[in-house]
Amino acid sequence: MALTIFILQLAVRILAFPLYLLNFLGLWNRICKKCFFPFFLVRFTATYNKQMASRKRELFSSLQEHASPSGELCLLELGCGTGANFQFYPPGCRVTCVDPNPNFEKFLIKSIAENRHVQFERFVVAAGENMHPLADGSMDAVVCTLVLCSVENQERILQEVRRVLRPGGAFYFLEHVAAEHSTWNYFWQQVLDPVWYLLFDGCNLTRESWKAVERAGFSKLQLQRIQAPLSIALVRPHIYGYAVK
């Protein structure tokens, strides 16, 4: 099976040779981050939100329970992208956004204008592994959706999440993950993963992100595995839930 996967990966790489050439010349990263990926994400998240709206409403329904004693909810969205989650946040919450790609800002501003029920605080251009502009214990909740698939270091990200959360604060997550190893879906995830990673700005199809969340040291963890109702089978396996510091 490993040999079959290797041969198919090689065939896919040959078909994607122009993409690899652009990457070798140092051009693809700039094209992807500035042009292709932000515009792709706008279209993708609109479809994704329609297909996953009920799950997102269910997941974020308890956000207000983690507000500070004053009733104010300070929320950090990690890997905010285009601001696709704003519509699901409770009225009055104060949202800070972190993303390493500054090219998302213009799309974020549009999302803010369309979701006046939330109070936007600021957009911080930073990797989730190093959120030094954010103070320790400054957030009531951290939200992370479709992000752990593409970060460089999941363990470091989750350390930073725990650092910025106040005691009793919660980490909410919704992530696509690797399929069950015995399935054809996992087989094709492995075959297509190298090209997928390059095409979609570092996204990995075969990450078992639940393991990192389980090891992160939260005092309470609610985690469910589901098959999301998405048209692309490769990203149907999902985990979602929340963890309390």
Side-chain angles (χ1 to χ4, degrees):
M1 184 67 77
L3 179 59
T4 303
I5 290 171
F6 173 77
I7 292 171
L8 288 172
Q9 282 182 339
L10 183 60
V12 171
R13 284 187 169 105
I14 292 171
L15 291 173
F17 175 74
L19 188 62
Y20 279 93
L21 179 61
L22 286 173
N23 189 56
F24 176 76
L25 295 173
L27 300 174
W28 174 246
N29 190 50
R30 281 180 287 174
I31 294 170
C32 182
K33 289 188 181 298
K34 188 171 183 178
C35 302
F36 169 73
F37 195 63
F39 285 96
F40 163 80
L41 204 59
V42 168
R43 294 180 178 273
F44 171 78
T45 52
T47 302
Y48 185 85
N49 271 353
K50 290 178 182 177
Q51 295 171 328
M52 296 293 287
S54 62
R55 291 290 184 182
K56 284 194 174 187
R57 282 193 292 267
E58 175 194 345
L59 176 63
F60 298 137
S61 64
S62 63
L63 270 171
Q64 195 59 46
E65 297 174 12
H66 299 283
S68 64
S70 68
E72 185 176 76
L73 178 67
C74 291
L75 184 151
L76 169 66
E77 175 141 7
L78 178 58
C80 59
T82 59
N85 291 323
F86 288 1
Q87 62 182 288
F88 301 100
Y89 292 157
C93 73
R94 305 169 67 93
V95 180
T96 298
C97 294
V98 169
D99 201 288
N101 190 344
N103 297 296
F104 281 127
E105 188 169 14
K106 61 182 178 182
F107 301 102
L108 198 60
I109 291 170
K110 182 175 182 293
S111 186
I112 293 163
E114 293 170 351
N115 294 277
R116 297 292 188 181
H117 66 286
V118 300
Q119 183 174 336
F120 180 70
E121 294 291 297
R122 58 174 171 156
F123 175 49
V124 179
V125 178
E129 292 90 343
N130 185 14
M131 298 187 288
H132 65 275
L134 304 177
D136 296 2
S138 58
M139 296 294 162
D140 301 306
V142 176
V143 171
C144 176
T145 62
L146 304 182
V147 171
L148 294 179
C149 58
S150 59
V151 299
E152 291 186 10
N153 189 320
Q154 290 183 330
E155 286 71 21
R156 180 59 185 158
I157 286 270
L158 294 169
Q159 286 176 7
E160 281 288 271
V161 167
R162 293 184 71 245
R163 179 184 68 79
V164 302
L165 278 174
R166 64 167 178 80
F171 169 58
Y172 286 77
F173 54 90
L174 174 67
E175 299 287 338
H176 76 84
V177 294
E180 294 288 342
H181 287 198
S182 60
T183 63
W184 278 109
N185 200 5
Y186 183 64
F187 173 85
W188 287 110
Q189 282 180 334
Q190 292 178 91
V191 169
L192 296 172
D193 192 51
V195 172
W196 188 278
Y197 177 88
L198 192 59
L199 186 60
F200 296 110
D201 200 22
C203 177
N204 294 268
L205 288 170
T206 57
R207 281 199 172 168
E208 299 175 332
S209 301
W210 65 88
K211 293 181 178 179
V213 177
E214 290 170 346
R215 293 193 301 261
F218 290 99
S219 64
K220 177 183 176 182
L221 175 62
Q222 295 282 343
L223 185 151
Q224 296 185 56
R225 297 190 65 170
I226 61 169
Q227 289 293 315
L230 304 176
S231 55
I232 304 174
L234 291 170
V235 292
R236 284 177 191 160
H238 270 56
I239 59 170
Y240 80 111
Y242 69 92
V244 179
K245 180 178 176 182

